[in-house]
Amino acid sequence: MARLIFLGSPGAGKGTQAKRLSQTCQVPHISTGDIFRTAVAMQTELGKKAQFYLDSGELVPDELVLSLVEERLTAADVASGWILDGFPRNVDQATFLDDLQQRLDQPIDCVVNLEVPDEVIISRLVQRGLQEGRSDDTEETIRRRLDVYQAQTEPLIDFYRCRQKLVSVDGNQPVDEVTAELAKVLEVGDD
Ligand code: AMP
């Protein structure tokens, strides 16, 4: 297990689980959301262009996302694998990733779909907004991000199911139990 994608609504726990797995498997955790948030905080050219989309809960346009991902997946530290969190987010991004993987000879091992009911998601995100001060964890933006997820990202569940790469894990349980279940389905060492 060296190349893995996390799917799941905002707030499903992708970041937390991806970070843990990246330590267990010793491969980089690549979060496009983190990359954009850092770019916004540093007010780089990319950050200035992405800020509006992050603040409103919309997807950053593909032309800003795809080159960034290609650059990241050709860096030296990903030779032994990667864990993608927040990418791909729509069918065009997934198709791009398919092509890129073929070019780089980096096939995906598995796509994890973390399942959490919407009502749990909303309360988790409101909580995170209060605790971490994330500017996109306000109730209005949360609703928009959930709509965007359903319209644009959820179709990827079938996209990867058809490729027989998908495993679904119940994300509505205590964090350590999700980690343990993931370790079991992915057959990676935990403890
Ligand atoms: P996340 O931390 O993954 O929930 O991402 C936070 C925000 O960053 C999203 O609401 C989008 O505005 C933007 N973003 C992150 N990843 C992508 C992506 N793959 N495509 C487009 N926008 C993205």
Side-chain angles (χ1 to χ4, degrees):
M1 200 295 300
R3 291 186 204 94
L4 189 82
I5 293 172
F6 270 94
L7 291 180
S9 335
K14 300 187 297 292
T16 305
Q17 298 301 333
K19 268 185 215 125
R20 289 183 173 193
L21 261 180
S22 100
Q23 289 190 339
T24 311
C25 301
Q26 297 281 297
V27 293
H29 164 217
I30 301 173
S31 155
T32 42
D34 282 351
I35 294 172
F36 286 127
R37 275 184 290 279
T38 304
V40 170
M42 293 173 68
Q43 283 293 290
T44 63
E45 280 310 302
L46 175 70
K48 285 181 197 159
K49 289 181 190 153
Q51 180 156 21
F52 162 79
Y53 302 97
L54 268 80
D55 287 346
S56 52
E58 303 294 332
L59 293 186
V60 175
D62 285 352
E63 65 259 30
L64 296 180
V65 184
L66 300 181
S67 52
L68 179 154
V69 169
E70 174 156 1
E71 203 176 300
R72 189 66 191 87
L73 292 189
T74 45
D77 65 331
V78 300
S80 59
W82 36 252
I83 296 176
L84 277 176
D85 155 17
F87 183 91
R89 250 343 203 260
N90 61 31
V91 172
D92 284 345
Q93 293 185 4
T95 307
F96 173 86
L97 183 61
D98 255 8
D99 288 347
L100 182 63
Q101 290 175 299
Q102 277 175 26
R103 270 192 280 141
L104 301 177
D105 194 21
Q106 295 185 354
I108 309 176
D109 296 295
C110 190
V111 179
V112 176
N113 179 29
L114 272 184
E115 294 182 309
V116 179
D118 274 1
E119 60 277 13
V120 177
I121 290 290
I122 293 172
S123 70
R124 277 190 191 179
L125 288 176
V126 170
Q127 197 65 23
R128 184 171 75 182
L130 295 174
Q131 280 167 358
E132 297 178 15
R134 253 181 76 160
S135 61
D136 59 350
D137 282 343
T138 60
E139 206 160 329
E140 194 189 338
T141 315
I142 290 167
R143 272 207 206 94
R144 183 64 199 141
R145 283 157 66 213
L146 284 176
D147 286 347
V148 168
Y149 179 79
Q150 275 157 13
Q152 306 209 41
T153 312
E154 239 169 35
L156 298 185
I157 294 174
D158 276 342
F159 181 98
Y160 287 115
R161 191 180 281 130
C162 291
R163 285 165 172 69
Q164 303 186 328
K165 296 286 184 195
L166 193 79
V167 296
S168 287
V169 169
D170 177 9
N172 190 20
Q173 23 173 7
V175 180
D176 288 343
E177 285 174 32
V178 178
T179 306
E181 192 174 328
L182 270 171
K184 205 164 138 200
V185 286
L186 299 172
E187 299 176 348
V188 295
D190 190 40
D191 307 324

PDB file of all heavy atoms in Angstrom, residues 59 89-91 144-156:
ATOM      1  N   LEU A  59     -14.710  25.200  -5.515  1.00  0.00           N
ATOM      2  CA  LEU A  59     -13.456  24.580  -5.916  1.00  0.00           C
ATOM      3  C   LEU A  59     -12.579  25.610  -6.626  1.00  0.00           C
ATOM      4  O   LEU A  59     -13.077  26.411  -7.425  1.00  0.00           O
ATOM      5  CB  LEU A  59     -13.702  23.402  -6.867  1.00  0.00           C
ATOM      6  CG  LEU A  59     -14.417  22.193  -6.278  1.00  0.00           C
ATOM      7  CD1 LEU A  59     -14.451  21.062  -7.304  1.00  0.00           C
ATOM      8  CD2 LEU A  59     -13.769  21.716  -4.983  1.00  0.00           C
ATOM      9  N   ARG A  89     -11.006  16.116  -6.898  1.00  0.00           N
ATOM     10  CA  ARG A  89     -12.235  16.675  -6.354  1.00  0.00           C
ATOM     11  C   ARG A  89     -13.360  16.674  -7.387  1.00  0.00           C
ATOM     12  O   ARG A  89     -14.484  17.044  -7.081  1.00  0.00           O
ATOM     13  CB  ARG A  89     -11.976  18.103  -6.043  1.00  0.00           C
ATOM     14  CG  ARG A  89     -11.869  18.767  -4.705  1.00  0.00           C
ATOM     15  CD  ARG A  89     -12.337  18.207  -3.480  1.00  0.00           C
ATOM     16  NE  ARG A  89     -12.607  19.195  -2.480  1.00  0.00           N
ATOM     17  CZ  ARG A  89     -11.795  19.508  -1.473  1.00  0.00           C
ATOM     18  NH1 ARG A  89     -10.632  18.936  -1.330  1.00  0.00           N
ATOM     19  NH2 ARG A  89     -12.172  20.396  -0.590  1.00  0.00           N
ATOM     20  N   ASN A  90     -13.039  16.355  -8.637  1.00  0.00           N
ATOM     21  CA  ASN A  90     -14.076  16.259  -9.678  1.00  0.00           C
ATOM     22  C   ASN A  90     -13.586  15.263 -10.737  1.00  0.00           C
ATOM     23  O   ASN A  90     -12.430  14.806 -10.677  1.00  0.00           O
ATOM     24  CB  ASN A  90     -14.404  17.637 -10.283  1.00  0.00           C
ATOM     25  CG  ASN A  90     -13.199  18.285 -10.942  1.00  0.00           C
ATOM     26  OD1 ASN A  90     -12.330  17.602 -11.466  1.00  0.00           O
ATOM     27  ND2 ASN A  90     -13.154  19.609 -10.921  1.00  0.00           N
ATOM     28  N   VAL A  91     -14.469  14.933 -11.689  1.00  0.00           N
ATOM     29  CA  VAL A  91     -14.131  13.884 -12.652  1.00  0.00           C
ATOM     30  C   VAL A  91     -12.962  14.309 -13.546  1.00  0.00           C
ATOM     31  O   VAL A  91     -12.091  13.495 -13.860  1.00  0.00           O
ATOM     32  CB  VAL A  91     -15.374  13.490 -13.486  1.00  0.00           C
ATOM     33  CG1 VAL A  91     -14.994  12.558 -14.618  1.00  0.00           C
ATOM     34  CG2 VAL A  91     -16.413  12.820 -12.584  1.00  0.00           C
ATOM     35  N   ARG A 144     -22.231  25.317   1.527  1.00  0.00           N
ATOM     36  CA  ARG A 144     -21.795  25.384   0.132  1.00  0.00           C
ATOM     37  C   ARG A 144     -20.779  24.275  -0.172  1.00  0.00           C
ATOM     38  O   ARG A 144     -20.832  23.627  -1.204  1.00  0.00           O
ATOM     39  CB  ARG A 144     -21.177  26.770  -0.142  1.00  0.00           C
ATOM     40  CG  ARG A 144     -20.752  26.985  -1.563  1.00  0.00           C
ATOM     41  CD  ARG A 144     -21.936  26.971  -2.549  1.00  0.00           C
ATOM     42  NE  ARG A 144     -21.500  26.726  -3.905  1.00  0.00           N
ATOM     43  CZ  ARG A 144     -22.124  25.968  -4.803  1.00  0.00           C
ATOM     44  NH1 ARG A 144     -23.260  25.367  -4.486  1.00  0.00           N
ATOM     45  NH2 ARG A 144     -21.648  25.805  -5.998  1.00  0.00           N
ATOM     46  N   ARG A 145     -19.853  24.042   0.764  1.00  0.00           N
ATOM     47  CA  ARG A 145     -18.837  22.997   0.525  1.00  0.00           C
ATOM     48  C   ARG A 145     -19.484  21.622   0.444  1.00  0.00           C
ATOM     49  O   ARG A 145     -19.055  20.772  -0.333  1.00  0.00           O
ATOM     50  CB  ARG A 145     -17.766  23.045   1.618  1.00  0.00           C
ATOM     51  CG  ARG A 145     -16.793  24.202   1.365  1.00  0.00           C
ATOM     52  CD  ARG A 145     -16.080  24.645   2.621  1.00  0.00           C
ATOM     53  NE  ARG A 145     -15.199  23.641   3.139  1.00  0.00           N
ATOM     54  CZ  ARG A 145     -14.960  23.483   4.440  1.00  0.00           C
ATOM     55  NH1 ARG A 145     -15.554  24.242   5.333  1.00  0.00           N
ATOM     56  NH2 ARG A 145     -14.123  22.560   4.834  1.00  0.00           N
ATOM     57  N   LEU A 146     -20.521  21.406   1.245  1.00  0.00           N
ATOM     58  CA  LEU A 146     -21.218  20.106   1.173  1.00  0.00           C
ATOM     59  C   LEU A 146     -21.936  19.949  -0.164  1.00  0.00           C
ATOM     60  O   LEU A 146     -21.909  18.879  -0.775  1.00  0.00           O
ATOM     61  CB  LEU A 146     -22.217  19.959   2.323  1.00  0.00           C
ATOM     62  CG  LEU A 146     -21.597  19.636   3.679  1.00  0.00           C
ATOM     63  CD1 LEU A 146     -22.668  19.602   4.762  1.00  0.00           C
ATOM     64  CD2 LEU A 146     -20.869  18.298   3.638  1.00  0.00           C
ATOM     65  N   ASP A 147     -22.564  21.041  -0.641  1.00  0.00           N
ATOM     66  CA  ASP A 147     -23.241  20.986  -1.957  1.00  0.00           C
ATOM     67  C   ASP A 147     -22.224  20.700  -3.059  1.00  0.00           C
ATOM     68  O   ASP A 147     -22.469  19.887  -3.942  1.00  0.00           O
ATOM     69  CB  ASP A 147     -23.923  22.331  -2.283  1.00  0.00           C
ATOM     70  CG  ASP A 147     -25.181  22.524  -1.462  1.00  0.00           C
ATOM     71  OD1 ASP A 147     -25.645  21.545  -0.836  1.00  0.00           O
ATOM     72  OD2 ASP A 147     -25.703  23.666  -1.441  1.00  0.00           O
ATOM     73  N   VAL A 148     -21.099  21.401  -2.985  1.00  0.00           N
ATOM     74  CA  VAL A 148     -20.049  21.218  -4.004  1.00  0.00           C
ATOM     75  C   VAL A 148     -19.547  19.771  -3.948  1.00  0.00           C
ATOM     76  O   VAL A 148     -19.349  19.126  -4.974  1.00  0.00           O
ATOM     77  CB  VAL A 148     -18.886  22.223  -3.782  1.00  0.00           C
ATOM     78  CG1 VAL A 148     -17.671  21.863  -4.618  1.00  0.00           C
ATOM     79  CG2 VAL A 148     -19.347  23.643  -4.100  1.00  0.00           C
ATOM     80  N   TYR A 149     -19.387  19.255  -2.733  1.00  0.00           N
ATOM     81  CA  TYR A 149     -18.916  17.867  -2.597  1.00  0.00           C
ATOM     82  C   TYR A 149     -19.908  16.908  -3.269  1.00  0.00           C
ATOM     83  O   TYR A 149     -19.516  16.046  -4.054  1.00  0.00           O
ATOM     84  CB  TYR A 149     -18.738  17.500  -1.106  1.00  0.00           C
ATOM     85  CG  TYR A 149     -18.269  16.080  -0.961  1.00  0.00           C
ATOM     86  CD1 TYR A 149     -16.926  15.755  -1.163  1.00  0.00           C
ATOM     87  CD2 TYR A 149     -19.155  15.036  -0.690  1.00  0.00           C
ATOM     88  CE1 TYR A 149     -16.487  14.445  -1.109  1.00  0.00           C
ATOM     89  CE2 TYR A 149     -18.728  13.720  -0.630  1.00  0.00           C
ATOM     90  CZ  TYR A 149     -17.388  13.433  -0.836  1.00  0.00           C
ATOM     91  OH  TYR A 149     -16.955  12.133  -0.804  1.00  0.00           O
ATOM     92  N   GLN A 150     -21.199  17.115  -2.951  1.00  0.00           N
ATOM     93  CA  GLN A 150     -22.194  16.184  -3.513  1.00  0.00           C
ATOM     94  C   GLN A 150     -22.248  16.267  -5.034  1.00  0.00           C
ATOM     95  O   GLN A 150     -22.320  15.257  -5.718  1.00  0.00           O
ATOM     96  CB  GLN A 150     -23.570  16.455  -2.916  1.00  0.00           C
ATOM     97  CG  GLN A 150     -23.723  15.724  -1.590  1.00  0.00           C
ATOM     98  CD  GLN A 150     -24.767  16.329  -0.678  1.00  0.00           C
ATOM     99  OE1 GLN A 150     -25.555  17.161  -1.111  1.00  0.00           O
ATOM    100  NE2 GLN A 150     -24.765  15.939   0.582  1.00  0.00           N
ATOM    101  N   ALA A 151     -22.204  17.490  -5.555  1.00  0.00           N
ATOM    102  CA  ALA A 151     -22.353  17.658  -7.007  1.00  0.00           C
ATOM    103  C   ALA A 151     -21.097  17.223  -7.760  1.00  0.00           C
ATOM    104  O   ALA A 151     -21.191  16.600  -8.813  1.00  0.00           O
ATOM    105  CB  ALA A 151     -22.665  19.126  -7.318  1.00  0.00           C
ATOM    106  N   GLN A 152     -19.925  17.564  -7.235  1.00  0.00           N
ATOM    107  CA  GLN A 152     -18.705  17.391  -8.040  1.00  0.00           C
ATOM    108  C   GLN A 152     -17.820  16.241  -7.600  1.00  0.00           C
ATOM    109  O   GLN A 152     -17.172  15.606  -8.431  1.00  0.00           O
ATOM    110  CB  GLN A 152     -17.897  18.692  -8.011  1.00  0.00           C
ATOM    111  CG  GLN A 152     -18.746  19.885  -8.433  1.00  0.00           C
ATOM    112  CD  GLN A 152     -17.899  20.958  -9.069  1.00  0.00           C
ATOM    113  OE1 GLN A 152     -16.997  20.680  -9.837  1.00  0.00           O
ATOM    114  NE2 GLN A 152     -18.201  22.198  -8.714  1.00  0.00           N
ATOM    115  N   THR A 153     -17.765  15.975  -6.303  1.00  0.00           N
ATOM    116  CA  THR A 153     -16.791  14.971  -5.825  1.00  0.00           C
ATOM    117  C   THR A 153     -17.430  13.594  -5.645  1.00  0.00           C
ATOM    118  O   THR A 153     -16.799  12.573  -5.933  1.00  0.00           O
ATOM    119  CB  THR A 153     -16.133  15.446  -4.513  1.00  0.00           C
ATOM    120  OG1 THR A 153     -15.700  16.809  -4.683  1.00  0.00           O
ATOM    121  CG2 THR A 153     -14.931  14.590  -4.154  1.00  0.00           C
ATOM    122  N   GLU A 154     -18.690  13.574  -5.197  1.00  0.00           N
ATOM    123  CA  GLU A 154     -19.328  12.268  -4.969  1.00  0.00           C
ATOM    124  C   GLU A 154     -19.338  11.354  -6.205  1.00  0.00           C
ATOM    125  O   GLU A 154     -19.195  10.141  -6.058  1.00  0.00           O
ATOM    126  CB  GLU A 154     -20.752  12.449  -4.425  1.00  0.00           C
ATOM    127  CG  GLU A 154     -20.891  11.778  -3.085  1.00  0.00           C
ATOM    128  CD  GLU A 154     -22.184  12.142  -2.381  1.00  0.00           C
ATOM    129  OE1 GLU A 154     -23.225  12.316  -3.069  1.00  0.00           O
ATOM    130  OE2 GLU A 154     -22.149  12.263  -1.156  1.00  0.00           O
ATOM    131  N   PRO A 155     -19.470  11.908  -7.425  1.00  0.00           N
ATOM    132  CA  PRO A 155     -19.406  11.014  -8.591  1.00  0.00           C
ATOM    133  C   PRO A 155     -18.111  10.197  -8.666  1.00  0.00           C
ATOM    134  O   PRO A 155     -18.063   9.164  -9.326  1.00  0.00           O
ATOM    135  CB  PRO A 155     -19.517  11.980  -9.788  1.00  0.00           C
ATOM    136  CG  PRO A 155     -20.248  13.166  -9.252  1.00  0.00           C
ATOM    137  CD  PRO A 155     -19.811  13.287  -7.811  1.00  0.00           C
ATOM    138  N   LEU A 156     -17.077  10.637  -7.959  1.00  0.00           N
ATOM    139  CA  LEU A 156     -15.810   9.885  -7.994  1.00  0.00           C
ATOM    140  C   LEU A 156     -15.926   8.549  -7.270  1.00  0.00           C
ATOM    141  O   LEU A 156     -15.114   7.646  -7.490  1.00  0.00           O
ATOM    142  CB  LEU A 156     -14.676  10.708  -7.368  1.00  0.00           C
ATOM    143  CG  LEU A 156     -14.347  12.010  -8.075  1.00  0.00           C
ATOM    144  CD1 LEU A 156     -13.135  12.670  -7.438  1.00  0.00           C
ATOM    145  CD2 LEU A 156     -14.083  11.756  -9.550  1.00  0.00           C
TER     146      LEU A 156
END
